[in-house]
Amino acid sequence: MCGQIGRLRTMEAEEIYINQEAGMQAAAFKDKQRGTPSHREVPARSRPSSDSARWLHRAFTSLYILLALISIILLVWVLVKNSETSQELLVLKREIWNVSISARECEEGQRQGWSDIQQSIINAKQRIDSANRNVQAGNEKLKKLTEDVSRIKIQSQQIAEMLQKMQNQQPTQPTPK
């Protein structure tokens, strides 16, 4: 494709050159026909020799080849940079994926930790409730025991009083010697 473009541009340059030369020759011819001296001299260029045409053709061809090579080099450079960028993006993608996995694992660990803490709180509440029930049951038993002790104390006093009365009522007997 670059070769075709080069050939087309070379052909265009030759056509421009030939058209300019033809125009200048036509102007010179008209001046000669008029027979008036030209205010501006129009030099009639002679047709370039075949060597200069070849040299011009080679120069344009070399320029187009150089332009094509520079284009190819730039294209290769862009492709290499694109490849490097793609590799860097793949590495970045892997790193982001690893961070994402780590974040998910961390999140799962936190979720499990909170779940364990909540379960521990539930268990502690159950033990506290059980201890409270045991304390209430103990308080009721203690209250009943206190009432029982008070009743026993009252009954003991009553018994002691009855014994005292009975001793006071009994005649005294002489003791045998």
Side-chain angles (χ1 to χ4, degrees):
M1 184 169 159
C2 288
Q4 291 175 348
I5 293 172
R7 277 188 244 122
L8 286 174
R9 289 191 180 169
T10 303
M11 290 170 56
E12 287 174 10
E14 287 175 351
E15 285 178 11
I16 290 170
Y17 181 78
I18 290 170
N19 289 339
Q20 285 177 348
E21 186 178 330
M24 290 191 329
Q25 285 176 356
F29 179 74
K30 285 180 185 176
D31 284 343
K32 280 185 185 180
Q33 279 185 346
R34 281 188 214 147
T36 60
S38 170
H39 296 302
R40 19 174 222 255
E41 224 165 280
V42 180
R45 290 190 183 171
S46 63
R47 190 170 193 147
S49 68
S50 62
D51 287 339
S52 17
R54 273 190 227 127
W55 180 85
L56 187 62
H57 179 69
R58 285 183 187 161
F60 278 122
T61 305
S62 297
L63 284 174
Y64 288 122
I65 289 173
L66 183 62
L67 182 62
L69 286 174
I70 289 172
S71 298
I72 290 171
I73 289 169
L74 285 175
L75 180 63
V76 168
W77 181 77
V78 167
L79 289 173
V80 167
K81 284 296 181 184
N82 188 22
S83 176
E84 289 174 1
T85 304
S86 294
Q87 291 299 321
E88 290 173 0
L89 286 174
L90 285 174
V91 168
L92 184 61
K93 179 183 174 184
R94 271 185 251 127
E95 289 176 1
I96 289 173
W97 183 255
N98 289 339
V99 168
S100 174
I101 289 172
S102 296
R104 269 190 252 130
E105 289 173 352
C106 182
E107 183 181 355
E108 182 60 34
Q110 285 179 341
R111 191 176 301 130
Q112 184 62 43
W114 280 113
S115 176
D116 291 347
I117 288 172
Q118 286 175 337
Q119 188 60 44
S120 295
I121 290 171
I122 290 170
N123 291 341
K125 283 182 179 179
Q126 289 173 347
R127 287 192 301 266
I128 289 170
D129 290 343
S130 175
N132 281 339
R133 284 191 299 272
N134 289 340
V135 166
Q136 286 175 352
N139 283 342
E140 289 186 21
K141 286 180 183 178
L142 185 60
K143 186 177 177 184
K144 189 176 179 185
L145 184 63
T146 304
E147 289 172 359
D148 288 345
V149 167
S150 294
R151 200 173 36 242
I152 291 173
K153 190 175 179 185
I154 291 171
Q155 287 176 355
S156 295
Q157 286 175 351
Q158 288 173 350
I159 291 173
E161 286 174 6
M162 284 175 49
L163 284 175
Q164 188 73 20
K165 282 182 185 178
M166 287 173 62
Q167 271 182 353
N168 288 342
Q169 287 180 356
Q170 275 187 357
T172 55
Q173 295 177 5
T175 41
K177 287 188 188 192

